[in-house]
Amino acid sequence: MKCDICGSRNARVYQKHTGRRLCDSCFLENVRNRVRLEAIRLGLGNAKKILLAVSGGKDSLVLADTISSFLDPGRLVAFNIMEGIEGYNRESQVKELERYLRDLGVELIGTSFKDGVGYSLDEIVRASQGRGLKISACTFCGGFRRKLINQAGRDVGADLVATGHNLDDEVQTIIINLLRGDVKKLVRVGDLPVKLSDKFVTRVKPLRKIYEWETTMYAYFKGFKFQETECPYISSRPTMRSKVRDLMYAIEDESPGSLLRILETYDKIAETVRRSSSLGELPTCRICGEPTSFGREICKNCELLISSGLLKSDL
């Protein structure tokens, strides 16, 4: 069967949400064009410097490849974090990532939880478990990753931080926030989040309208070598996100295009909330000096370290 776009090459991909069959070349171009349109809408075209948060997984490689296809790679700086998870983080993967980014003309910088936080993720988890705390590794990891990425964005003078979150990631986050009743995150998680502190570098997600299966096929067609091993903490203690993910896949399979429709509806709601929002500047943590939530003197990250016995506070 021939490609529905070029009509000359054999189709290799079926886009259920559009009903089109595409060859590998037209599929790659389709993804690049959709990323470019979203990136320009999010302001990447006007940014002088952009920090790309890259893990070495398929999504971050697709992010770097698509963004560098229409923006000067000299405006991009990639940033990688080694969380310190035994059997998961490997130096060889970072070297492969560095080689690939070098070929694109993109500089790679990085840090680790050990250097940036003082403890590896494994050490933090063990300390919390030793105190009988039932805090998932993902809670620690997500908060400290966001902090380190934001710090890196400030350090390099980036106008924007771009992450590799895809459509599946975004919709899962939307559903999780709704299940938790966290309406305030409509402002913070939308397509154009409100900047509530001068210490925050605005984060954008150019892949937010690209399905995860599409980033997988993009990586496959490009021949990327990426980390395929799932984080051991996910399998050892399934999170709400993993449960929501299974639900979203079932809905999408039954009604192709559902995830895109959920995201588009969410963006409209988020825009309404932003227009009516009068939130001021976020307070800063009395320990680390980073922004924290309204009504809090200590940020969640420092609170987690204190509860795990890894940080002492007289406050």
Side-chain angles (χ1 to χ4, degrees):
M1 187 171 293
K2 297 299 182 181
C3 172
D4 289 333
I5 292 182
C6 69
S8 59
R9 293 180 289 266
N10 290 330
R12 298 185 63 190
V13 174
Y14 176 56
Q15 280 184 326
K16 291 181 69 174
H17 64 285
T18 65
R20 295 190 303 185
R21 291 172 171 79
L22 308 177
C23 66
D24 50 358
S25 296
C26 288
F27 171 77
L28 291 172
E29 188 63 22
N30 173 265
V31 172
R32 288 193 202 100
N33 285 337
R34 287 157 58 200
V35 173
R36 179 179 58 80
L37 289 173
E38 186 67 8
I40 297 303
R41 190 181 72 83
L42 296 175
L44 272 72
N46 298 322
K48 294 180 180 179
K49 183 167 289 187
I50 302 163
L51 186 80
L52 304 180
V54 295
S55 65
K58 60 176 172 40
D59 293 335
S60 57
L61 289 174
V62 172
L63 174 70
D65 191 79
T66 53
I67 296 298
S68 63
S69 71
F70 60 87
L71 290 181
D72 178 5
R75 296 161 59 187
L76 308 175
V77 177
F79 178 63
N80 175 258
I81 301 171
M82 293 284 284
E83 295 91 351
I85 304 171
E86 185 177 358
Y88 182 66
N89 293 142
R90 297 185 178 90
E91 292 290 343
S92 59
Q93 292 164 344
V94 176
K95 292 185 182 300
E96 181 68 25
L97 175 63
E98 185 176 22
R99 181 201 63 76
Y100 174 70
L101 291 170
R102 188 188 308 119
D103 290 344
L104 289 179
V106 178
E107 177 189 6
L108 175 66
I109 61 175
T111 189
S112 66
F113 270 36
K114 191 75 171 180
D115 292 336
V117 180
Y119 304 92
S120 70
L121 182 59
D122 282 348
E123 290 171 337
I124 296 172
V125 171
R126 282 195 295 267
S128 69
Q129 291 174 343
R131 288 204 160 196
L133 303 179
K134 295 183 178 180
I135 302 173
S136 74
C138 297
T139 298
F140 292 112
C141 188
F144 287 118
R145 279 184 58 84
R146 286 189 292 271
K147 179 178 181 178
L148 293 174
I149 290 170
N150 189 65
Q151 287 177 337
R154 290 201 310 253
D155 290 344
V156 303
D159 302 299
L160 296 170
V161 168
T163 66
H165 292 87
N166 57 50
L167 174 62
D168 301 45
D169 298 327
E170 282 288 87
V171 174
Q172 289 161 24
T173 298
I174 291 168
I175 300 302
I176 289 170
N177 289 334
L178 291 174
L179 291 174
R180 290 174 174 168
D182 198 344
V183 180
K184 289 184 178 179
K185 283 196 175 178
L186 285 172
V187 177
R188 294 165 49 195
V189 184
D191 54 339
L192 297 169
V194 173
K195 186 175 181 179
L196 298 177
S197 173
D198 289 337
K199 292 190 175 184
F200 280 147
V201 181
T202 301
R203 291 201 310 164
V204 293
K205 304 168 186 177
L207 305 185
R208 66 194 304 271
K209 292 182 179 177
I210 308 298
Y211 282 89
E212 183 170 15
W213 74 263
E214 291 183 300
T215 65
T216 300
M217 292 305 300
Y218 190 105
Y220 171 73
F221 286 145
K222 292 286 291 186
F224 294 155
K225 295 179 181 179
F226 55 88
Q227 178 166 298
E228 298 182 75
T229 305
E230 186 174 61
C231 174
Y233 287 116
I234 294 291
S235 55
S236 65
R237 184 179 176 184
T239 61
M240 180 185 290
R241 180 173 292 274
S242 65
K243 297 173 184 176
V244 168
R245 177 180 60 189
D246 293 340
L247 173 63
M248 293 299 95
Y249 287 164
I251 293 174
E252 179 68 23
D253 187 59
E254 181 70 24
S255 179
S258 291
L259 298 191
L260 276 169
R261 290 191 291 272
I262 290 173
L263 182 66
E264 290 166 355
T265 301
Y266 175 83
D267 284 348
K268 293 177 182 177
I269 296 172
E271 175 59 27
T272 300
V273 173
R274 282 196 296 269
R275 285 200 303 266
S276 61
S277 174
S278 59
L279 295 175
E281 182 86 1
L282 286 173
T284 55
C285 175
R286 292 178 61 184
I287 295 178
C288 69
E290 293 297 311
T292 186
S293 302
F294 292 109
R296 296 179 63 107
E297 293 187 348
I298 300 175
C299 71
K300 186 65 175 180
N301 288 331
C302 288
E303 182 185 88
L304 288 170
L305 289 178
I306 291 170
S307 63
S308 300
L310 297 175
L311 179 65
K312 294 182 179 180
S313 173
D314 297 326
L315 298 177

